[in-house]
Amino acid sequence: MKHASPQPGSMQSGSEPVMGPTDLFFSTTDRRGVIRQGNSVFARVSGYPLEHLLDAPHNIVRHPEMPAGAFRLMWDYLEADRTVATYVCNLTADGGQYWVCAVVSPLDDGFLSVRVAPMTTGLTLVREVYDEALAIERDATTGGKNRRQVAEIGRAAIVAALQRRGFADYDAFMQAALVGERTTRQSLTLTAHQRPDATGEVARILDGTREVALVLEDLVRSLTTYQKLSAELAKATEGTLALTQQMAASVTAAQQASASVADRAPVLANVAAVMSAPMTAAVDDLRDLSQTFQRLHHSINDMRFQIALAATYTDMASGFAAEAWDGRAPLESLSAVPLLVDVADACVTDMAHQVRQVNSDLHAVSALVRASIDQLEEFRRMIGRWRQLTLRHAATALADQVEPVDAAVARTWLSTERLVQLSQRSTDAILPFDDAALHRHLASMRVNVAG
Ligand SMILES: Cc1cc2nc3c(=O)[nH]c(=O)nc-3n(C[C@H](O)[C@H](O)[C@H](O)COP(=O)(O)O)c2cc1C
């Protein structure tokens, strides 16, 4: 998603409060969404004193033009114990509005949310999607559906509208959206929160955040290289698969023509009958390869999402530290930091799992490429034998068959060479990931402050 200044859209009521790119909102709720903690940014931007927000249901900031389906989607993830990212338009105390990109994660006994000001075209896209969903929800309400049914209809409308815009599902959209927001924001927040003269608990949190950011940046760099390689490999595999499948037509024609001369040239007919077997086996291997790339694509996107998430949560921790150091928030507000460390820790555990999956898939790639190439080499040998027999026993009868088969084999061969070159690079691209270091840096941020 590209960087963009927020465009005015339909959800326009009162004034837009000033929200900087480094403003981070924080809140926690119980299992039902009743607010238990918040930060000064949440209070300032929403226009409510913090005491007013505490113990209030989170829908206190609900904007009437937000489709119910967006919240249905959010709660579906939370009820499944999963983290969710959602663009939300909120209402301020004086009837104004502000958009956020919210991430919400489950805690043991409730939920935690960090929100940032959207900075990408993800917002432009989601505004169109929400407008479409809202219109459908309003029709459903007019048509007599109850609140629950309307929310479900809205959820389906949002997912369908995202699919029309090229996202496989809501997961794919929210991953791209958060990664986009994160990539645009980069280290802006972390830099803004640096307090070089800080000491004690504040310094520990800021040091830990910086260390975590360095490891995550490294990982993003490796993943970007890997993402490119895996996209090239996927393309080369698709190309080889398509050419191999095209080759099947000329091979079948050659087999039929050879069968027709079986009485004169039985050996030729026998070789022709079995020569397609290794080609079929290669097609199966190439299909397996394609599936491996789909899984890899999935794992990489999920990892990039978890990285963006962990960075957002640790940025929030640094926000608490900076506020406390500046005296804009009481020291006790640092009691929220261990909760942020918990959710960031869960992201690291998930990343470690994905890294193992990615690395084992990388190994599988080179083995599968090797297997499919072996099959194609075997096929080429059989084609060579068939050509010799054809020239010797049925040169005239099969004159039209040899050239198309030869041409198809040559085309496929060029494509397999590219595949082999790329797969050789894949064995060197094993992802390094020191999850123990990340857990350690996060643990160093677990300050002990009475809440
Ligand atoms: C941690 C957390 C944060 C939330 N943040 C918001 C928010 O910023 N704005 C909002 O309208 N709803 C937010 N919600 C969802 C609300 O609880 C509620 O589902 C939503 O406002 C729809 O309310 P309604 O069903 O009464 O229409 C949040 C929920 C949780 C658990």
Side-chain angles (χ1 to χ4, degrees):
M1 308 230 173
K2 295 194 197 78
H3 173 274
S5 349
Q7 299 292 312
S10 58
M11 243 176 272
Q12 202 77 48
S13 38
S15 59
E16 294 252 359
V18 181
M19 250 171 73
T22 58
D23 277 339
L24 294 170
F25 295 57
F26 174 83
S27 62
T28 60
T29 69
D30 66 9
R31 300 294 302 176
R32 291 169 308 129
V34 174
I35 301 173
R36 289 204 302 219
Q37 285 167 287
N39 70 340
S40 65
V41 175
F42 187 20
R44 173 170 60 78
V45 177
S46 68
Y48 293 102
L50 200 52
E51 311 79 70
H52 193 100
L53 292 169
L54 301 182
D55 293 330
H58 222 308
N59 68 2
I60 185 172
V61 290
R62 193 206 197 290
H63 195 293
E65 290 182 27
M66 269 295 289
F71 296 115
R72 186 62 264 158
L73 265 166
M74 179 192 274
W75 282 101
D76 282 351
Y77 275 79
L78 297 180
E79 283 161 12
D81 211 28
R82 292 185 62 197
T83 288
V84 61
T86 318
Y87 284 103
V88 185
C89 183
N90 280 335
L91 203 58
T92 64
D94 70 355
Q97 66 170 46
Y98 60 95
W99 277 93
V100 290
C101 175
V103 287
V104 191
S105 289
L107 298 171
D108 284 345
D109 55 353
F111 305 102
L112 174 151
S113 171
V114 173
R115 278 148 277 167
V116 297
M119 290 174 75
T120 72
T121 50
L123 177 62
T124 325
L125 182 146
V126 97
R127 284 179 123 154
E128 290 170 17
V129 167
Y130 284 177
D131 281 352
E132 285 176 30
L134 192 67
I136 292 170
E137 286 184 7
R138 284 186 173 153
D139 283 351
T141 306
T142 313
K145 301 285 188 221
N146 65 31
R147 266 169 63 94
R148 189 187 167 81
Q149 290 168 325
V150 168
E152 281 165 4
I153 289 168
R155 171 183 60 193
I158 291 172
V159 173
L162 290 172
Q163 285 171 337
R164 280 197 299 280
R165 286 162 177 82
F167 297 96
D169 48 25
Y170 190 76
D171 255 14
F173 167 71
M174 73 168 187
Q175 289 177 348
L178 187 68
V179 170
E181 294 294 345
R182 179 71 208 162
T183 311
T184 304
R185 193 166 266 99
Q186 299 240 351
S187 53
L188 216 61
T189 322
L190 191 57
T191 311
H193 293 160
Q194 284 318 301
R195 299 291 181 272
D197 50 343
T199 54
E201 313 277 56
V202 168
R204 271 176 54 197
I205 296 169
L206 293 176
D207 289 349
T209 312
R210 246 188 338 267
E211 295 295 338
V212 170
L214 286 175
V215 179
L216 295 182
E217 274 166 28
D218 257 4
L219 191 57
V220 168
R221 259 192 299 277
S222 312
L223 272 182
T224 310
T225 314
Y226 183 68
Q227 214 162 9
K228 276 194 204 128
L229 175 63
S230 121
E232 280 182 71
L233 266 162
K235 210 169 128 204
T237 302
E238 289 304 323
T240 309
L241 185 58
L243 287 171
T244 309
Q245 282 166 331
Q246 278 168 27
M247 190 160 63
S250 358
V251 172
T252 307
Q255 284 177 312
Q256 281 163 356
S258 307
S260 71
V261 295
D263 49 346
R264 276 193 286 134
V267 183
L268 168 65
N270 286 343
V271 168
V274 294
M275 69 187 181
S276 61
M279 184 185 72
T280 312
V283 166
D284 287 346
D285 286 338
L286 290 167
R287 286 212 181 102
D288 281 354
L289 254 182
S290 277
Q291 273 172 12
T292 307
F293 289 124
Q294 274 167 25
R295 205 167 48 233
L296 274 168
H297 182 71
H298 213 270
S299 301
I300 291 175
N301 283 346
D302 197 43
M303 273 190 78
R304 294 213 56 176
F305 179 68
Q306 297 297 337
I307 292 170
L309 207 56
T312 305
Y313 288 143
T314 47
D315 274 1
M316 186 68 250
S318 71
F320 275 110
E323 276 202 342
W325 184 251
D326 297 347
R328 285 181 287 128
L331 206 60
E332 295 79 66
S333 65
L334 295 183
S335 65
V337 171
L339 287 179
L340 289 159
V341 169
D342 283 345
V343 283
D345 236 5
C347 297
V348 174
T349 304
D350 196 89
M351 278 178 225
H353 170 78
Q354 298 289 359
V355 166
R356 278 193 293 275
Q357 176 74 50
V358 165
N359 285 342
S360 96
D361 277 343
L362 275 168
H363 267 108
V365 164
S366 43
L368 275 170
V369 168
R370 197 59 263 158
S372 59
I373 300 297
D374 286 350
Q375 295 293 352
L376 286 172
E377 273 174 2
E378 173 63 11
F379 170 67
R380 204 157 72 138
R381 271 193 295 277
M382 292 184 91
I383 287 288
R385 174 128 177 76
W386 169 80
R387 193 196 304 101
Q388 273 176 359
L389 291 168
T390 300
L391 294 176
R392 200 175 310 148
H393 300 293
T396 322
L398 270 63
D400 294 344
Q401 310 301 331
V402 177
E403 198 278 325
V405 169
D406 277 351
V409 170
R411 271 197 304 274
T412 312
W413 204 247
L414 277 179
S415 172
T416 56
E417 279 179 357
R418 172 96 187 113
L419 194 56
V420 172
Q421 278 166 4
L422 286 168
S423 81
Q424 278 160 356
R425 275 166 53 201
S426 87
T427 36
D428 307 333
I430 298 295
L431 272 178
F433 181 58
D434 192 353
D435 54 327
L438 269 179
H439 285 302
R440 220 174 30 248
H441 296 316
L442 284 168
S444 74
M445 296 167 63
R446 274 185 201 282
V447 291
N448 198 356
V449 184

